[in-house]
């Protein structure tokens, strides 16, 4: 795997599994993915006129947090829903993950306690 500084960050965060926020977890996963050359897509929420945060969707809700493709190594696209350690999937998220898996993507739910598997997956795009 080489000397990825992301690995040290990930190990430190593994100690905080029960306390890490989904946002912090997302930032770590994206950092690791970028380190290993993945193209990453994530939709960010924005603030509306009333001052409330929302992610505007046209179509079906529940699309996973990350869509990742490795441009040089091939392999299946990753469609990942990130959750804090005690987070639960919504019905819409379950539908999207199942549909993406049936369409040939590797669809999964990742939690902070999955960090060893996440590091393995992102460092081995064809695995």
């Amino acid at each position: 795997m080489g000397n990825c500084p992301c690995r040290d960050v990930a190990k430190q965060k593994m100690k905080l599994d029960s306390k890490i926020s989904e946002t912090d977890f997302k930032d770590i996963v994206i950092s690791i993915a970028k380190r290993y050359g993945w193209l990453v897509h994530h939709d960010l929420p924005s603030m509306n006129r009333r001052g409330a945060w929302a992610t505007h969707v046209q179509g079906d809700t529940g699309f996973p947090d990350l869509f990742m493709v490795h441009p040089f190594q091939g392999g299946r696209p990753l469609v990942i829903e990130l959750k804090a350690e005690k987070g639960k999937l919504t019905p819409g998220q379950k539908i999207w993950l199942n549909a993406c898996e049936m369409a040939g993507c590797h669809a999964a739910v990742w939690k902070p306690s999955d960090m060893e598997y996440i590091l393995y997956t992102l460092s081995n795009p064809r695995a």
Side-chain angles (χ1 to χ4, degrees):
M1 254 165 85
N3 292 328
C4 173
C6 306
R7 185 179 177 125
D8 295 332
V9 171
K11 282 184 178 180
Q12 290 171 356
K13 293 297 184 182
M14 285 175 64
K15 295 176 187 174
L16 304 174
D17 282 354
S18 63
K19 297 181 182 179
I20 190 170
S21 72
E22 190 174 313
T23 300
D24 290 342
F25 180 46
K26 171 199 48 93
D27 291 343
I28 292 168
V29 171
I30 289 174
S31 175
I32 294 167
K34 298 301 287 179
R35 165 64 176 84
Y36 287 110
W38 291 85
L39 297 174
V40 179
H41 175 85
H42 171 72
D43 291 321
L44 291 173
S46 60
M47 191 177 291
N48 64 22
R49 292 180 197 165
R50 294 183 300 266
W53 289 95
T55 303
H56 299 284
V57 174
Q58 184 173 2
D60 299 299
T61 60
F63 191 78
D65 292 317
L66 300 176
F67 182 85
M68 298 186 283
V69 179
H70 201 287
F72 306 113
Q73 298 295 323
R76 297 192 301 166
L78 299 178
V79 180
I80 306 297
E81 180 61 36
L82 300 172
K83 290 292 180 191
E85 205 55 49
K86 294 182 180 182
K88 304 281 187 210
L89 291 175
T90 66
Q93 290 169 333
K94 291 177 185 178
I95 291 168
W96 269 108
L97 289 172
N98 185 50
C100 288
E101 187 72 35
M102 290 175 50
C105 296
H106 174 77
V109 178
W110 287 353
K111 295 184 176 191
S113 59
D114 299 322
M115 190 55 70
E116 186 174 337
Y117 173 76
I118 293 166
L119 285 165
Y120 174 80
T121 300
L122 296 176
S123 65
N124 296 283
R126 292 185 184 220

